Each structure stands twice: as C-alpha cells, then as structure tokens.
Amino acid sequence: DIQMTQSPSSLSASVGDRVTITCRAGQGIGIDLGWYQQKPGKAPKRLIYAASSLQSGVPSRFSGSGSGTEFTLTISSLQPEDFATYYCLQHNSYPQSFGQGTKLEIK
Amino acid sequence: QVQLVQSGAEVKRPGASVKVSCKTSGYTFTTYFMHWVRQAPGQGLQWMGIIDPASGTTYYAQTFLGRVTLTTDTSTSTVYMGLSSLGSEDSAVYYCVRDLAAAGDLWGPGTLVTVSS
C-alpha cells in the first residue's frame, strides 16, 4: 500500500498570503495525484488532477506541482473562501489513499 | 442532469450491518467505476473500495476485507455498500464517488451512519 504523508496538518494564514501544502508518497506514483478541498458538512471538491492540471472552474490562484514522490499545492493569494481542509489523493495503485489533510485557518 | 443520490442516515447497534445505496442518473451507469470513501467525525478521508458496474469486479481496502461488500443493480443504476460487524469506529459519513480522481470525478452528498448502543 502507498502511504501519503501530508504536511503541515494545520496552517494559520491571512487573506492575501501565499501558502504551500506538501504531500509525499511512500513510493513513486508518477503524476497520479489529485488535490481536494473540503468545507465543513460538504463533500470534497477536486481542485487539481494529474498533479498540476487545474480543474475547470477552479480559480487560477490554485496550482499544483511535482511528480514521483513529492507534490505541492500552492495558493498564491488566499481568499476568505479558501479557508478549508485540503487533501491529496494518490490513484496510482489500489488501494487508493489520501493524505491526512491540512486544515487551513484564518490567522 | 448527472446525479448521485444516497440513502438516508442510519443508526445501528454494534455488531449489526448496514447497507447504503447510491442511485445514479444522467449518465450510462456502466461507463464509470464507483468508489466508496468514508470520513469519521473530525477525521480524514478513507478509501474503502471500488466496483466496476460493467463487470461487477470489486477491489476492497485491506482494512475492510471480509466486512465490506459492494454490489450493483443495473436495472435501477444503483450501487450498494454493505458493511457488517459494525463497531463505534464505523460511525462516519460514507460517500459514493464516481470515477474518483479521474475525468468523471463526482461525489455523492454522503450518508451518515451512526453506530451506538
């Protein structure tokens, strides 16, 4: 099974800040990684697929990068609606696996 | 309109079983795999398994092996997730997800299962 290690687990930031979240895979997964945003009481929403491709309709302040074992999600300028929990997901092999999540809070 | 409609909240006793449904509409049922993901209160997302509605082929996460069963009813375009020998640790929101992480990625609204004596 592939373990996904996501960091940090929580992050305090202000509107306008640039933030980066990292996911490390226990073995190489190519670019078989997605990033999801989840708000309380809602199903997750995909932001990024194939490690760096922006899902249609997602603001361009979100970007993803990486391949192999190390991946990042960057929000270039935080907006109030971005405060949520973020998860990475590897879908290179079964069982698919999520990172532990990063809760992004307002400073 | 493409939709995933899940069954309502359930309350179960420890040791019981639960069966959650995910009725699909608006697309060809057999085109996309269906995944199940759960989330315990205040916790992260946990992948449970997958079913290919075209063939019935399944793959389950080791954690759930022997307790989870995914099935389909092609006549009603519905996927079912059954979980047996419930414990308090199974209290969670259960999501069906079409084509997780792929082009057709679409999440159901979730079904809350509470296990309590």
Side-chain angles (χ1 to χ4, degrees):
Chain A
D1 296 5
I2 299 175
Q3 299 297 317
M4 301 300 295
T5 303
Q6 187 174 338
S7 61
S9 56
S10 64
L11 179 57
S12 292
S14 301
V15 173
D17 283 355
R18 178 185 180 91
V19 300
T20 297
I21 299 168
T22 298
C23 253
R24 289 186 173 86
Q27 63 190 69
I29 59 170
I31 58 169
D32 296 335
L33 183 113
W35 289 97
Y36 289 80
Q37 177 193 67
Q38 188 180 31
K39 295 185 177 179
K42 300 292 187 182
K45 168 189 168 184
R46 189 169 67 171
L47 304 174
I48 300 286
Y49 64 95
S52 61
S53 295
L54 192 67
Q55 183 74 22
S56 175
V58 173
S60 58
R61 62 181 179 272
F62 291 92
S63 64
S65 65
S67 66
T69 60
E70 187 148 342
F71 303 86
T72 60
L73 172 70
T74 299
I75 310 172
S76 60
S77 177
L78 275 173
Q79 299 302 301
E81 61 268 28
D82 300 337
F83 292 94
T85 302
Y86 294 83
Y87 296 92
C88 61
L89 165 71
Q90 73 79 18
H91 57 98
N92 179 262
S93 63
Y94 295 139
Q96 296 187 7
S97 46
F98 290 91
Q100 301 94 319
T102 296
K103 187 172 184 179
L104 182 51
E105 298 174 308
I106 300 173
K107 185 183 286 185
Chain B
Q1 181 188 359
V2 178
Q3 280 193 97
L4 303 179
V5 178
Q6 296 188 226
S7 49
E10 302 260 14
V11 179
K12 295 293 183 182
R13 300 293 190 200
S17 298
V18 70
K19 194 170 187 178
V20 178
S21 66
C22 174
K23 183 170 174 57
T24 74
S25 60
Y27 70 96
T28 301
F29 180 63
T30 53
T31 300
Y32 298 98
F33 288 8
M34 192 68 78
H35 303 242
W36 287 83
V37 173
R38 79 175 185 181
Q39 185 170 39
Q43 303 300 308
L45 301 166
Q46 185 177 24
W47 188 87
M48 298 180 68
I50 182 174
I51 186 166
D52 175 3
S55 65
T57 302
T58 56
Y59 184 100
Y60 303 126
Q62 184 73 25
T63 306
F64 301 101
L65 215 51
R67 289 206 302 136
V68 68
T69 304
L70 300 183
T71 56
T72 62
D73 181 344
T74 53
S75 67
T76 59
S77 300
T78 302
V79 182
Y80 296 92
M81 187 283 299
L83 189 63
S84 62
S85 302
L86 292 170
S88 58
E89 68 279 6
D90 294 314
S91 293
V93 175
Y94 289 78
Y95 295 101
C96 58
V97 189
R98 188 189 78 168
D99 209 21
L100 177 64
D105 187 298
L106 176 68
W107 291 64
T111 295
L112 176 63
V113 175
T114 302
V115 183
S116 174
S117 55

